[in-house]
Amino acid sequence: VLGMGGMGKTTLVAKAASTLADQFEAVFWRSLLNAPPLPELLRELLRFFARGQLGQLPDSLGEQLAQLFAHLRLRRCLLVFDNCESILEAGQAGQYRPGYESYGQLIERAAQHEHQSCIMLTSRERPQGTKRLAEDGAPVCFLPLAGLEPQAGLALLKTRGLGASADRAAMLVEH
């Protein structure tokens, strides 16, 4: 789910996750706001799937991802990664921050390998390399959020008790 900050991406995904939770054996939600390195996130995920009984973590990223996707093939899980823009370089058209490029491997693997789970991301911008994943017919889709139509914005203001003159309300909705 892509869109400007404050548009309601997290709220929308939280509602979707709540509504769909009964279709999954497990739901894992992680904010990337503090930009955890991928090995830290994978350790959390693997511990989650091992129900706290995680033994020795494989050394290589490839082996860690293989272990994660083995779990995602066995169990239908919903993984939600919120605030993905935190691992992207600001103003660099979706490029990963130095040291965070491995997140691209996670996303690509999720799109290209068979499993029965779903991954939802929220971000202010599309991570580099993901556009082609949606174009290649993979089960990847993007939901770009746009602003409200003027009438819907005015109705929202009214339901929230924010009364103003028509001109001022229209200007607020426009912003």
Side-chain angles (χ1 to χ4, degrees), residues 26 51 91 99 111 118 138 160:
R51 297 190 168 110
C118 295
R160 299 289 182 182

Side-chain angles (χ1 to χ4, degrees), residues 2-75:
L2 305 171
M4 294 182 345
M7 290 195 79
K9 298 179 297 293
T10 299
T11 302
L12 178 65
V13 169
K15 179 66 174 170
S18 172
T19 302
L20 299 171
D22 62 345
Q23 296 179 32
F24 296 94
E25 291 179 49
V27 176
F28 179 90
W29 182 295
R30 179 64 151 87
S31 172
L32 302 183
L33 188 60
N34 294 321
L38 183 59
E40 180 184 314
L41 178 68
L42 287 173
R43 194 171 26 261
E44 280 184 57
L45 275 164
L46 294 173
R47 189 171 290 125
F48 172 78
F49 287 119
R51 297 190 168 110
Q53 305 300 315
L54 182 62
Q56 182 68 26
L57 191 65
D59 291 330
S60 78
L61 177 65
E63 291 171 332
Q64 292 170 9
L65 288 171
Q67 192 172 355
L68 170 63
F69 282 93
H71 287 289
L72 297 180
R73 278 189 299 278
L74 292 173
R75 300 173 63 194

Side-chain angles (χ1 to χ4, degrees), residues 20 23-24 26-28 72 75-81 110 115-121 139:
L20 299 171
Q23 296 179 32
F24 296 94
V27 176
F28 179 90
L72 297 180
R75 300 173 63 194
R76 183 161 166 75
C77 301
L78 174 60
L79 308 181
V80 180
F81 302 127
H115 55 86
Q116 57 178 336
S117 297
C118 295
I119 299 176
M120 297 176 84
L121 311 171

Side-chain angles (χ1 to χ4, degrees), residues 70-126:
H71 287 289
L72 297 180
R73 278 189 299 278
L74 292 173
R75 300 173 63 194
R76 183 161 166 75
C77 301
L78 174 60
L79 308 181
V80 180
F81 302 127
D82 193 20
N83 301 302
C84 287
E85 68 275 358
S86 300
I87 61 171
L88 303 177
E89 193 69 47
Q92 296 297 314
Q95 286 185 350
Y96 293 97
R97 289 172 45 186
Y100 291 86
E101 300 86 355
S102 55
Y103 272 92
Q105 292 178 34
L106 170 66
I107 294 169
E108 189 166 326
R109 197 163 191 162
Q112 295 178 337
H113 288 79
E114 224 174 282
H115 55 86
Q116 57 178 336
S117 297
C118 295
I119 299 176
M120 297 176 84
L121 311 171
T122 70
S123 183
R124 294 180 184 190
E125 55 186 309
R126 184 187 309 235

